[in-house]
Structure formats: C-alpha cells, structure tokens
Amino acid sequence: MFANFLPYLVEQLTDGYGYFGEKLAQIVQQTLILWGERDRILGTADAGKFEKAQAHSKLIWIADSGHVPHLEKPQITAQHILDFR
C-alpha cells in the first residue's frame, strides 16, 4: 500500500499541493506560518508561496529546525505562537 501512496504524495507536493493550493487564498483569518529553515520533507521553496497566497499571514523561519519545529525547537516555536496572539 505504501508503495502506491508515495508516488501520489510526491505528485501532490510537487504539483502545487493539489487542490489545497487553491484553498489557501480563501483563508481570511490571521495565519502564522512557522517553517523550519532545514525542512527536508517539504523543502523551503514553498514557504514564501504559502505566505503570499494568504492575505493575512506571517511567515517565520525557525533556525536550525527541520520539518517539525514544534518538536525540534519547542520553546522558540511556542514563543512565536504566544507573540502572534
């Protein structure tokens, strides 16, 4: 089953996140985007696209963090969340 899922996942991630990409512009709430500077799962190229697609968003890069900044840098991540409120 995983062998069939992986090609689908790769296609979705490299093809503008499928239909999800179209939905980003519909988000009207203020949105905090926390992205690890060393994200090797999604990469870093799309972080700016997420920010531009959402009118009320703020992108913050988490230094020395990969795909899961809330686990890798929990204190820094939590502080950014608290500051955003």
Side-chain angles (χ1 to χ4, degrees), residues 26-54:
Q26 297 175 11
I27 298 173
V28 296
Q29 294 83 3
Q30 290 187 334
T31 304
L32 177 62
I33 302 168
L34 299 172
W35 208 289
E37 287 182 341
R38 297 181 180 174
D39 188 337
R40 292 172 51 185
I41 304 295
L42 297 178
T44 57
D46 288 332
K49 294 177 186 177
F50 272 72
E51 183 180 32
K52 289 177 185 174
Q54 298 175 49

